[in-house]
Amino acid sequence: MPDRGGGPAGPRMRVGRPSRRVRTLLMTLGVLAVLAMLFVMFAGFWTDWLWYRSVKYSSVFTTTLWTKIGLFAVFGLLMAGAVGLNIWLAHRLRPPLSAMSMEQQNLDRYRMGIAPYKKWVLLAITALVGLISGASAAGQWRTWLMWVNGVAFGQKDPQFKMDVSFYAFDLPWYRFLLAFGFAATVLSLIAAALTHYLYGGLRITSPGARATAAATGHLSVLLGVFVSLKAVAYWLDRYGLAVKSSDFKAAGNWTGLRYVDANAYLPAKTILFFIAAICALLFFATLWRRTWQLPVIGFGLMVLSAILIGGLYPAIVQKFQVQPNEQAKEAPYIKKNIDATRQSYGIDTADVQNYGGKGDPDKKAEQRKAADTAASYRLVDPNVVSPAFQQLQQERKYYQFPATLDVDRYTGPDGKPQDTVVGLRELNITGIPKRNWINDHFTYTHGYGVIAAKGTNTVTDENNGTVGAPDFTESGLPTTGQLPTYEQRVYYGEKTEQYSIVGGPQKELDYEKNGERTTSYKGKSGVDLSNPLNRAAYAVAFSEPQMLYSGAIGDGSRILYNRTPKERVEAVAPWLTIDGDAYPAVVGGRIQWIVDAYTTTNGYPYASRTTLGDTTADSLTDSQRAVVAQQNQVNYIRNSVKATVDAFDGTVKLYEWDTKDPVLKTWMKAFPGTVQPKAEIKPDLMSHLRYPQDMFKVQRELLTRYHVTEPEQFYSGSDAWQVPDDPTNKDSNSVPPYYLSLKMPGETEQKFSLTTTFTPNGRPNLGAFMAVDADATSSDFGKIRVLRVTSTVQGPQQVQSELNGVPEVAEFVRNLRGTDSDIEYGNLLTVPLDGGFLYIEPVYARGGSANYPLLKKVAVSYGGKPVFKDSLPEALNAVFGAESSPPPTTPPPPGETTKPPVTGDKALQQAIADAQKAYEDGEAALAKQDWTAYGKAQKELQEALQRAADADTGSGSTSGNGGDSGDGANGGANSG
């Protein structure tokens, strides 16, 4: 390499030192890097502020922000001050280093190295512990707001007679303060001990005293503070026993005091409190005595007492007093747990009645008549028919429906409410013909329209003639039908997770009656991007540099994001737990997403805890339908808020639903003005509100054990239930609850209800049936009724197994396999009827060219008799042994004669011939993939086979049982 210097010495001295220009450039780059980092942090803050302001919930943002800042500052400074003060004090109390021992000589180099930077080291240490502590404290903003705004429950725990609010709101904050105190004391103790050691106040290997008097006094005070905090911990632990969870063999997950807690742990905690207080005084006394002897003895006694009194003594009580007579000893505490748990989950008013479960076999005619009005049998299963909605109503590849549709109520043509299956046609960006940034975020911005279908006993869509397709009451693009005129554009939905930029120079794809057109968003939602600062902030926050220079963004451009209903509600009310199933409704000319929200706590004394994520999971739960929980372990829950999200402009409204809930009142004090009073709910919206599924799931899980109110029976577990697995699903997941309009025993009219079944623990037969009045306009809304089955009745799994064994099912499955189709079972509905239970299940066929489920059959079972027919009326007639009323006959026109009916062998021959022809017609239709003709041929084949069976039985050509003979003729004709 050539020598670029001017001489042998001078240039070498400057080798590697950059020039002034390079230093200036590096400094500039460093400043720019720091500014870039600061702007990235600012962008996140600024975009959050803009979003909250756009949805008119800026008070939530500011309250949360200032609370976090306040906690960060206060506790960060407290921790930094505590640690810094003790380091400074230890340094101030350092001894003179006149006689340097070998140990001190080894530490001298460290002291010399630190000496020039002592202030900076002190600032760095205190800043570090302050930042960590402040960040941890900021995460306790919910705890602080609940403590400072807590509202009394008006209920006291049975042990300490403290209001429940003490456990729900106060105790968590006291425990946080205690934990912070322990952390500050331990860090201060460590920092002070290291400083004393570094400067000679503590010695490990040097001869003579191990600690100076100053170091002894300093550290003794810190240890005294630590032991004092331990005394406070013992005192709080007494109250903590009321909300302590434990595994109780007889009752499973248990919360609250048991016999050993009340009679051993509670007095032990009290004794340990006094011992710890005395021990703390001994540590403080070293300021005068300058000896560790007494405090060390006291500390040893405290540890020994904790082992003997706090550990060994309760174990002895449990072993020799409780276990020999556990049921009698625990009975009073079990009763407290039962009462508290039933109250905290809102199941204390559940009406549990005995119900036989077996109908009177001699009242078939009356039962058949009652079956017509017992329920509005929803044969269109919202969990199954989404592919039918997708194929028949998708209209464009870039639209989609949710995998599980929703059930709502709309007024039918007769003016009466009818159960309706609904789904929104939402945007699916993966189906966009050409994917690019403009198409994804500017052109394809919204879904379009509500698609609705009748939910009750219909198997044919009269509009398109497809046998078994949903009977749509609102369809098309744009949609038309029975719904009143409404804004059909869906900018906010469960599937709309990407951001969109609307209202600017770039137009959006839209529709009108004559087909496609373009539009520009006219709503008030979103954040304005015409401001360069906003564009830059969102470009950074979304990692989209194109936002800075794209010509598609200009005057009027607005960015829409956080677009799923649950996401929006959770953002504006971060103190709520969100139900997993948001559902759409047409209200006041707009599509409104209705979101149920809960207030929860895990501090209700004596109430057993449940895990929301597990309790609310069933065979339909996926990421979209999972509960959004602020705390997963809870022992108190209320459906205290009903929220709506406008599908067009994203407006979020929160309505107070439970006006007595103290947890909601607490949060309303913390965030005033965010929740509107219940009186603001308009009647049009009220008609679509319903009892929430996740709340119902939690309550049914608790009722598996807590329907029992007697401690002895609860302890034995003899009457425990379980939620059965979904019989229509191969996975071992709980059966989902079903919305259904039905009449419970003793009622005169149908009520929109949410229902479920129970089986006895470890057994398949039916144990109970549960229904809650789900109609928000009903005076009995939320009333839980449980029918405890007193006889042995088939459970859902047994009914499904028997239905699978019906010969007609096997034949149906064989025919489907021949057409490359599969059978798919719908929801197995359970309806109480005349002392028994009527099971109804729609059966779908899926495959062939129509790759979506078509309703083909209806399975019905009552009193252990399963049937499998083409329609619900046929199935009900068959299961109750009643015939449909014959149609009225009209006399033949003059000059014509009525042909006599064909009977006997001729009837059998005619039926066989008709069956053969229907079979051939079906094969021909199958070859052409004409599914309408194929369905018609299959129906004619079934009718012909039935006539053949009837004729064969009536002719007396068999010597055995008529029913068996009919089955044989049926099978023989079919095989032919």
Side-chain angles (χ1 to χ4, degrees):
M1 294 289 292
D3 186 359
R4 298 177 184 270
R12 287 198 197 97
M13 297 298 293
R14 292 192 293 270
V15 169
R17 182 177 181 181
S19 65
R20 179 178 298 176
R21 180 179 299 177
V22 174
R23 292 199 303 272
T24 303
L25 178 61
L26 292 174
M27 186 177 297
T28 303
L29 291 175
V31 170
L32 290 175
V34 171
L35 290 176
M37 293 175 60
L38 291 175
F39 187 78
V40 170
M41 298 171 61
F42 167 78
F45 163 80
W46 185 243
T47 53
D48 284 347
W49 161 248
L50 291 174
W51 185 86
Y52 276 96
R53 191 175 65 174
S54 73
V55 295
K56 298 180 175 57
Y57 281 89
S58 55
S59 62
V60 174
F61 178 81
T62 54
T63 298
T64 305
L65 177 65
W66 285 116
T67 302
K68 290 179 178 179
I69 290 175
L71 292 172
F72 178 89
V74 170
F75 287 95
L77 289 174
L78 284 175
M79 181 66 76
V83 174
L85 175 64
N86 281 281
I87 293 176
W88 174 84
L89 190 59
H91 179 265
R92 182 72 178 269
L93 298 175
R94 68 189 184 279
L97 300 175
S98 54
M100 294 288 289
S101 66
M102 184 62 67
E103 182 180 13
Q104 290 301 312
Q105 291 178 16
N106 292 334
L107 292 173
D108 190 54
R109 54 181 175 177
Y110 295 107
R111 287 192 293 268
M112 295 296 292
I114 292 175
Y117 311 104
K118 285 191 291 186
K119 292 183 179 179
W120 293 106
V121 171
L122 178 63
L123 287 174
I125 293 174
T126 55
L128 179 62
V129 296
L131 287 173
I132 295 174
S133 178
S136 176
Q140 298 293 323
W141 65 271
R142 290 185 179 88
T143 308
W144 160 261
L145 287 176
M146 292 182 77
W147 177 69
V148 78
N149 295 287
V151 173
F153 274 68
Q155 303 164 10
K156 295 184 177 181
D157 77 283
Q159 181 68 40
F160 301 102
K161 308 304 179 185
M162 303 286 287
D163 191 88
V164 172
S165 61
F166 170 79
Y167 301 94
F169 306 142
D170 299 344
L171 190 58
W173 179 249
Y174 297 153
R175 281 176 164 169
F176 164 72
L177 292 178
L178 187 63
F180 176 83
F182 274 123
T185 304
V186 170
L187 289 176
S188 298
L189 186 62
I190 293 172
L194 289 175
T195 305
H196 280 299
Y197 176 68
L198 183 63
Y199 287 96
L202 291 178
R203 301 181 182 89
I204 297 177
T205 61
S206 300
R210 299 295 185 188
T212 63
T216 300
H218 184 195
L219 297 180
S220 296
V221 170
L222 289 176
L223 288 171
V225 172
F226 179 86
V227 177
S228 298
L229 291 174
K230 187 62 180 174
V232 176
Y234 281 132
W235 189 257
L236 287 182
D237 284 347
R238 299 168 66 255
Y239 299 105
L241 293 172
V243 290
K244 183 196 70 172
S245 289
S246 59
D247 186 17
F248 188 12
K249 184 177 180 181
N253 184 24
W254 174 273
T255 299
L257 285 82
R258 290 158 54 187
Y259 181 89
V260 69
D261 297 314
N263 295 277
Y265 281 111
L266 185 57
K269 297 291 184 183
T270 306
I271 296 172
L272 288 172
F273 162 76
F274 288 108
I275 293 176
I278 295 171
C279 184
L281 293 176
L282 293 176
F283 274 107
F284 291 136
T286 56
L287 286 171
W288 296 276
R289 290 182 57 85
R290 304 295 184 181
T291 176
W292 291 87
Q293 186 176 3
L294 285 178
V296 168
I297 293 174
F299 188 78
L301 288 175
M302 187 182 75
V303 173
L304 183 62
S305 299
I307 296 172
L308 296 178
I309 302 175
L312 185 59
Y313 174 62
I316 293 173
V317 171
Q318 178 68 23
K319 179 70 174 177
F320 296 102
Q321 290 190 32
V322 178
Q323 288 186 4
N325 192 18
E326 188 173 51
Q327 180 173 322
K329 294 289 187 182
E330 301 288 10
Y333 304 96
I334 293 176
K335 181 60 176 175
K336 294 175 183 178
N337 175 266
I338 292 174
D339 293 342
T341 302
R342 287 171 60 85
Q343 192 169 36
S344 68
Y345 290 97
I347 58 176
D348 52 324
T349 58
D351 181 13
V352 182
Q353 303 175 355
N354 289 334
Y355 187 77
K358 291 185 176 180
D360 189 343
D362 298 327
K363 297 172 61 178
K364 294 295 186 182
E366 292 87 342
Q367 291 165 354
R368 174 64 185 90
K369 183 178 180 181
D372 288 333
T373 58
S376 295
Y377 305 104
R378 182 171 42 75
L379 298 184
V380 179
D381 185 356
N383 312 320
V384 174
V385 299
S386 178
F389 273 53
Q390 188 78 4
Q391 188 151 336
L392 298 175
Q393 294 296 326
Q394 181 187 20
E395 301 288 350
R396 300 292 188 274
K397 189 177 180 181
Y398 42 81
Y399 290 136
Q400 63 181 330
F401 293 93
T404 300
L405 304 176
D406 290 291
V407 177
D408 203 349
R409 294 146 294 150
Y410 288 92
T411 302
D414 58 357
K416 297 180 179 180
Q418 67 178 15
D419 292 354
T420 305
V421 177
V422 297
L424 256 60
R425 187 191 281 123
E426 295 191 45
L427 182 66
N428 176 19
I429 63 170
T430 60
I432 295 175
K434 186 177 181 180
R435 298 290 305 278
N436 54 55
W437 189 62
I438 294 295
N439 279 346
D440 286 359
H441 300 289
F442 292 82
T443 305
Y444 297 89
T445 59
H446 58 278
Y448 214 98
V450 175
I451 304 300
K454 294 179 182 178
T456 56
N457 38 326
T458 179
V459 295
T460 304
D461 181 1
E462 298 174 357
N463 298 318
N464 60 26
T466 304
V467 176
D471 188 355
F472 293 106
T473 58
E474 186 78 13
S475 59
L477 181 65
T479 68
T480 57
Q482 296 180 7
L483 294 180
T485 303
Y486 66 98
E487 171 58 64
Q488 298 194 16
R489 296 169 184 84
V490 181
Y491 283 90
Y492 294 88
E494 290 183 298
K495 297 287 188 178
T496 314
E497 298 178 349
Q498 76 285 354
Y499 72 87
S500 290
I501 300 176
V502 298
Q506 183 68 38
K507 300 298 182 181
E508 311 163 45
L509 180 67
D510 200 58
Y511 293 91
E512 58 184 3
K513 292 182 179 179
N514 298 327
E516 294 185 4
R517 69 180 183 94
T518 58
T519 188
S520 187
Y521 183 64
K522 299 297 188 296
K524 298 180 181 179
S525 181
V527 178
D528 182 21
L529 287 182
S530 58
N531 185 324
L533 176 62
N534 293 355
R535 291 180 68 172
Y538 278 101
V540 170
F542 283 35
S543 301
E544 288 284 8
Q546 296 178 84
M547 288 187 186
L548 287 171
Y549 52 79
S550 174
I553 301 176
D555 290 341
S557 291
R558 308 179 70 82
I559 184 169
L560 312 180
Y561 64 105
N562 287 353
R563 299 170 70 181
T564 65
K566 292 193 295 183
E567 187 177 29
R568 293 179 79 78
V569 174
E570 196 272 339
V572 303
W575 35 274
L576 289 174
T577 294
I578 312 301
D579 188 271
D581 183 26
Y583 60 98
V586 177
V587 178
R590 302 292 278 265
I591 301 173
Q592 297 284 351
W593 287 99
I594 300 175
V595 183
D596 285 287
Y598 312 107
T599 48
T600 61
T601 179
N602 66 353
Y604 198 101
Y606 273 101
S608 290
R609 292 183 172 89
T610 188
T611 304
L612 288 179
D614 297 336
T615 306
T616 58
D618 57 32
S619 62
L620 302 179
T621 301
D622 54 23
S623 58
Q624 180 181 311
R625 294 174 65 90
V627 64
V628 182
Q630 298 302 328
Q631 50 184 356
N632 204 22
Q633 277 273 331
V634 303
N635 66 353
Y636 172 93
I637 184 170
R638 289 292 184 271
N639 177 211
S640 53
V641 171
K642 299 285 188 181
T644 62
V645 177
D646 192 297
F648 179 70
D649 62 19
T651 300
V652 182
K653 292 183 179 180
L654 307 176
Y655 297 99
E656 181 183 15
W657 187 248
D658 189 333
T659 58
K660 298 179 180 179
D661 178 28
V663 181
L664 177 60
K665 292 181 183 298
T666 296
W667 286 117
M668 289 175 67
K669 282 182 61 179
F671 296 97
T674 57
V675 181
Q676 300 182 29
K678 188 175 184 179
E680 294 295 320
I681 301 177
K682 296 180 179 180
D684 193 12
L685 173 60
M686 184 71 77
S687 65
H688 292 281
L689 300 182
R690 67 189 192 188
Y691 201 83
Q693 291 192 52
D694 285 340
M695 179 80 174
F696 185 79
K697 292 178 195 174
V698 170
Q699 290 176 323
R700 74 171 180 178
E701 181 65 31
L702 269 296
L703 277 170
T704 58
R705 289 183 294 139
Y706 287 93
H707 66 280
V708 176
T709 57
E710 295 300 323
E712 295 78 10
Q713 189 178 13
F714 186 90
Y715 177 87
S716 68
S718 59
D719 195 24
W721 300 333
Q722 65 185 14
V723 179
D725 292 338
D726 188 350
T728 66
N729 194 307
K730 294 180 181 179
D731 298 331
S732 298
N733 293 315
S734 300
V735 62
Y738 297 126
Y739 286 105
L740 185 68
S741 294
L742 56 78
K743 288 194 296 187
M744 290 290 283
E747 295 179 344
T748 57
E749 60 182 16
Q750 296 178 10
K751 292 184 178 180
F752 186 67
S753 305
L754 190 55
T755 66
T756 191
T757 54
F758 298 101
T759 58
N761 199 12
R763 296 169 57 198
N765 55 288
L766 190 64
F769 175 83
M770 174 182 174
V772 62
D773 189 337
D775 185 356
T777 62
S778 170
S779 59
D780 288 333
F781 174 78
K783 181 179 180 180
I784 299 174
R785 295 189 61 183
V786 180
L787 303 180
R788 187 204 311 262
V789 180
T790 57
S791 57
T792 303
V793 179
Q794 290 178 329
Q797 290 282 5
Q798 294 172 314
V799 171
Q800 186 67 54
S801 297
E802 283 213 352
L803 287 173
N804 292 341
V806 174
E808 289 89 339
V809 175
E811 180 184 344
F812 180 68
V813 172
R814 284 197 303 270
N815 291 336
L816 286 180
R817 289 175 178 171
T819 60
D820 196 24
S821 300
D822 293 320
I823 189 172
E824 193 164 343
Y825 292 104
N827 38 217
L828 181 60
L829 303 176
T830 307
V831 177
L833 177 66
D834 192 37
F837 287 100
L838 177 65
Y839 291 93
I840 293 180
E841 182 176 48
V843 180
Y844 295 82
R846 180 169 182 169
S849 61
N851 191 23
Y852 58 89
L854 293 173
L855 180 60
K856 291 297 185 182
K857 297 284 185 177
V858 179
V860 174
S861 177
Y862 186 84
K865 179 183 179 182
V867 298
F868 189 73
K869 298 298 179 183
D870 292 332
S871 67
L872 181 60
E874 290 181 61
L876 292 175
N877 288 339
V879 80
F880 292 110
E883 295 294 335
S884 301
S885 300
T889 58
T890 56
E896 293 187 14
T897 58
T898 304
K899 295 181 180 180
V902 181
T903 59
D905 292 339
K906 290 183 179 180
L908 178 60
Q909 294 172 3
Q910 182 65 46
I912 293 175
D914 291 344
Q916 183 64 34
K917 183 177 183 304
Y919 175 77
E920 293 171 354
D921 291 344
E923 291 297 306
L926 181 62
K928 297 177 182 179
Q929 293 192 347
D930 184 347
W931 301 109
T932 302
Y934 178 77
K936 181 180 179 181
Q938 289 298 307
K939 186 174 182 181
E940 291 175 352
L941 175 61
Q942 292 293 330
E943 292 175 351
L945 292 173
Q946 185 61 49
R947 285 190 282 111
D950 295 341
D952 188 32
T953 303
S955 66
S957 59
T958 61
S959 58
N961 179 279
D964 293 340
S965 173
D967 289 342
N970 192 332
N974 185 57
S975 62

